[in-house]
Amino acid sequence: MSYFILKAAAVATGFTLSSMALAAATLVRDVRVFDGKTVHERRSVLFDGDKILDADFRGAAPKDARIVDGAGRTLLPGLIDAHTHAYRQSEAPLLFGVTTQIDMFTAVPLMQEVKRAMAAGQNTQRADMFSAGTLATAPKGHGTQFGMPIPTLTQPSEAQAFVDARIAEGSDFIKIVLIGGGQKAGGMNTLDLPTARALVEAAHRRGKLAVVHVSTEADARAMLEAGVDGLVHLFLGAPLAQERIDSLAQLAKRKGAFVIPTFAVLESEAGGASEQLLNDATLAALVDRESAAILKGSIGARPRQQLALPKAMTAALRRHDVPVLAGSDAGNPGTHYGLSMHREMAALVEAGLSPVDALAAATSVPATVFKLGRRGCIAAGCKADLLLVDGNPAADIKATRRIVEVWKDGQSANPLREARRELVAKENSGAVRQALPADGRISQFSKGKLGSPFGAGWIASTDQFAGGKSTVKLDVLPALPDGQVPLAVQATVAPGLPFAWSSVAFMPGAQPMQSADLSAAKVLRFKVRGDGKTYQVMMMGAGDRTPRLQPFTAGAEWQEVSMPLSAFAGIDPAAVAMLAFSAGPKPGDYRFELADVRLLER
């Protein structure tokens, strides 16, 4: 079939081809093709505008078409990350071949803005998003700890109104959080089983999928019995008998459910592993320091042996033909948007999937179960979201990391990739370790000024930016006998947020929340006295809004406190954005005095 007939057919079937696209067809010639399900050893693929016109094109190349050599390479559908929290770094997924994100919880205005751009055909510079919007959780439950106020529910009678409100906002599906079967978990509340079941039924009444975050085998079984469409995590834990693992997989199969293991974040819970991706120079060249710091972080330090449980479960799911989807849970410490999908696919292979199964888990399977239309495929009429890699990922899954080119809506993302390489190279060449004062002192308090030897300095910081109502008052006091000027911190921590706080914060970067390289410092030392209550030093990394905490007590007499910076696990000292002395999260009035704060080399 000629190129011009293909164009006419495209127009006749309703495919939109702009005048610019009509003159800019692309032909990937003589390439291995993974079409979402099957590998074809040698084909040529023609696309124009945002649609694939022919997945097995033969004959002369169309006039003026761009020809891309596919010899020794593999063309894949753009990857679909089936579990993200897409609240930042919107350009990052595309750099690594992820052209669609299935978002499990993000800010509603952001979700709506991306949807408008997608509908207008103006989302070519970032991954598309299909989103749950606001997740379903209990008051002070998982999902509320991030600060922004969200609607919650407590009983089954509220389920339908909750679901209808999410659909009205634009949610594509409903995500439910169930942790511990209604018991408090990790200090946070959770929905009870009747309310979770009612949410599943309410979603189904409106024709929407219902998926659930669980953390135990019992909750997984209960929600599968309730008819939930998918489990969006597996979980760490002690080994289970093979019979129980198989019976859980059989239950998922019988109920027609799918599972997203999210190994990238499970590995982060077990101390982290994804930072090994940075050992690949071609990948690391696209990762700025802020993102690298997040990737090197971790959520916890549970025994790595507990990873054997989700691996065994994933193998059982595969044996019982339960759909397994690749999802990274990017947005959490220990993950990176786009990049972590390459670790996720490798982890699926390590758990028992074949490389072809893992590729399907990242393309056609999520497109099918989430009903995303003509994406995750390479065939006539499929969306021209494509990934070209060197080598054969159907034999070696790590070949997905050798990216040659990415296309989104038929437009090459290589200019974006090159711009990111230049930015990272410039950042690395200009990286300067912050020199510390000779005595290490960073508190230079005086009447009318909260000075510092570098950075944006000292400021009042509370939870108000996250919707809280805590307040703080800072007063400079007369100098101590040693000449140091103390700062009085009077804080009122208001109820309403799970992690409320009120603090005085040191911003080491040139602007507030801009990072600085404090890797020259090994120890934080300060003097404190106060009301006898327990406080926290909070350290926050660049781009990671999850602070790491170390407690201290402010007794009636002055005392000196020393903390190794290594105690703030998961924070890269080369990218520190904030160091705060904080009251909370328990509501109440607090008062302490702070003096002689130092960052020391030993």
Side-chain angles (χ1 to χ4, degrees):
M1 184 181 292
S2 77
Y3 175 55
F4 299 103
I5 295 174
L6 284 169
K7 283 195 172 188
V11 174
T13 53
F15 300 156
T16 301
L17 299 172
S18 70
S19 59
M20 181 179 294
L22 288 171
T26 300
L27 178 66
V28 185
R29 177 184 279 166
D30 298 332
V31 67
R32 181 184 299 105
V33 173
F34 172 72
D35 66 8
K37 297 179 181 179
T38 304
V39 176
H40 307 274
E41 282 302 323
R42 185 176 178 182
R43 282 189 168 183
S44 294
V45 177
L46 178 69
F47 56 95
D48 196 346
D50 64 353
K51 294 291 187 295
I52 295 172
L53 294 183
D54 194 338
D56 189 13
F57 184 82
R58 304 183 186 193
K63 184 181 179 181
D64 298 327
R66 178 189 169 211
I67 309 299
V68 178
D69 183 12
R73 297 168 170 174
T74 303
L75 188 67
L76 314 165
L79 303 179
I80 301 173
D81 190 336
H83 189 137
T84 72
H85 297 282
Y87 62 92
R88 58 186 170 85
Q89 297 183 339
S90 61
E91 77 292 344
L94 208 55
L95 303 175
F96 299 97
V98 171
T99 55
T100 301
Q101 298 187 87
I102 299 175
D103 169 78
M104 294 290 167
F105 173 36
T106 195
V108 170
L110 173 61
M111 172 187 71
Q112 293 171 338
E113 187 275 320
V114 176
K115 282 179 171 291
R116 286 192 295 269
M118 289 170 60
Q122 297 174 349
N123 203 54
T124 59
Q125 303 295 297
R126 61 185 173 183
D128 287 344
M129 181 199 298
F130 295 86
S131 179
T134 301
L135 48 70
T137 192
K140 297 186 179 181
H142 180 72
T144 64
Q145 71 268 37
F146 303 110
M148 59 183 182
I150 61 172
T152 58
L153 66 169
T154 60
Q155 55 191 355
S157 61
E158 299 170 331
Q160 194 65 64
F162 181 92
V163 167
D164 291 348
R166 304 290 75 72
I167 295 172
E169 289 172 346
S171 295
D172 297 293
F173 57 94
I174 302 300
K175 181 189 175 185
I176 303 161
V177 177
L178 185 68
I179 303 177
Q183 303 302 312
K184 279 207 171 190
M188 289 187 285
N189 297 327
T190 186
L191 299 171
D192 58 23
L193 282 172
T195 303
R197 292 191 194 101
L199 284 162
V200 174
E201 294 167 0
H204 289 172
R205 274 193 288 271
R206 300 295 187 254
K208 297 293 185 181
L209 295 178
V211 302
V212 64
H213 169 128
V214 295
S215 59
T216 68
E217 176 201 6
D219 286 343
R221 290 182 182 277
M223 293 310 296
L224 289 170
E225 291 287 3
V228 77
D229 297 287
L231 307 180
V232 298
H233 287 289
L234 285 178
F235 39 85
L236 302 176
L240 293 177
Q242 190 61 51
E243 293 81 2
R244 284 170 63 183
I245 291 173
D246 283 329
S247 70
L248 182 63
Q250 290 165 351
L251 176 60
K253 175 65 175 178
R254 188 166 65 252
K255 292 293 186 176
F258 60 85
V259 177
I260 311 171
T262 61
F263 279 106
V265 83
L266 294 179
E267 290 176 344
S268 178
E269 288 187 52
S274 290
E275 75 275 8
Q276 295 173 7
L277 291 164
L278 297 177
N279 294 335
D280 185 321
T282 59
L283 297 177
L286 294 167
V287 181
D288 60 23
R289 291 172 62 197
E290 177 179 315
S291 300
I294 298 169
L295 186 62
K296 292 175 183 177
S298 62
I299 294 175
R302 295 178 65 175
R304 293 197 68 79
Q305 295 91 327
Q306 292 191 2
L307 284 165
L309 177 59
K311 287 184 178 180
M313 287 183 174
T314 300
L317 293 167
R318 176 66 188 89
R319 287 195 303 273
H320 293 284
D321 295 322
V322 175
V324 173
L325 285 64
S328 67
D329 208 356
N332 280 292
T335 67
H336 186 293
Y337 294 103
L339 178 57
S340 288
M341 271 292 281
H342 298 277
R343 172 59 200 149
E344 191 68 30
M345 290 184 287
L348 291 176
V349 172
E350 293 168 11
L353 274 66
S354 71
V356 170
D357 290 336
L359 294 173
T363 55
S364 60
V365 178
T368 298
V369 300
F370 278 96
K371 303 173 184 174
L372 305 183
R374 299 285 280 169
R375 63 181 73 213
C377 54
I378 297 180
C382 289
K383 204 165 183 286
D385 291 351
L386 299 163
L387 169 62
L388 181 66
V389 301
D390 269 328
N392 182 7
D396 174 12
I397 194 63
K398 291 184 179 180
T400 62
R401 305 174 188 190
R402 300 198 289 273
I403 297 172
V404 176
E405 191 158 1
V406 180
W407 290 271
K408 172 66 168 56
D409 291 336
Q411 295 189 24
S412 177
N414 274 12
L416 293 176
R417 286 166 50 82
E418 187 55 37
R420 177 54 63 92
R421 281 192 197 93
E422 292 177 2
L423 183 151
V424 171
K426 181 177 180 181
E427 181 183 65
N428 290 338
S429 66
V432 177
R433 177 184 286 193
Q434 176 63 56
L436 302 177
D439 59 3
R441 189 175 293 117
I442 59 172
S443 58
Q444 297 178 347
F445 305 144
S446 62
K447 202 68 176 176
K449 184 178 181 182
L450 303 181
S452 62
F454 61 86
W458 295 84
I459 63 171
S461 176
T462 73
D463 57 24
Q464 291 187 22
F465 88 94
K469 298 180 180 178
S470 300
T471 59
V472 66
K473 181 183 178 184
L474 307 179
D475 290 309
V476 176
L477 302 178
L480 300 174
D482 63 2
Q484 292 303 305
V485 176
L487 181 70
V489 182
Q490 300 180 66
T492 298
V493 177
L497 293 179
F499 295 96
W501 81 92
S502 179
S503 72
V504 59
F506 173 63
M507 301 293 179
Q511 301 293 330
M513 294 311 295
Q514 185 178 90
S515 69
D517 185 345
L518 300 185
S519 57
K522 306 302 178 189
V523 176
L524 169 68
R525 196 173 76 193
F526 58 94
K527 294 178 181 177
V528 67
R529 71 177 178 183
D531 53 14
K533 295 180 180 179
T534 298
Y535 295 84
Q536 297 84 34
V537 175
M538 297 196 311
M539 185 179 289
M540 190 174 292
D544 182 0
R545 296 301 181 254
T546 305
R548 305 307 195 271
L549 310 176
Q550 287 295 311
F552 67 91
T553 300
E557 302 297 328
W558 283 106
Q559 61 179 320
E560 188 172 84
V561 179
S562 290
M563 295 179 179
L565 266 62
S566 60
F568 298 89
I571 301 295
D572 183 353
V576 176
M578 184 183 79
L579 188 64
F581 299 81
S582 176
K586 184 178 179 180
D589 293 323
Y590 297 78
R591 188 183 189 281
F592 67 95
E593 297 173 13
L594 180 69
D596 198 15
V597 185
R598 305 191 191 206
L599 288 171
L600 302 170
E601 295 181 4
R602 60 178 64 86

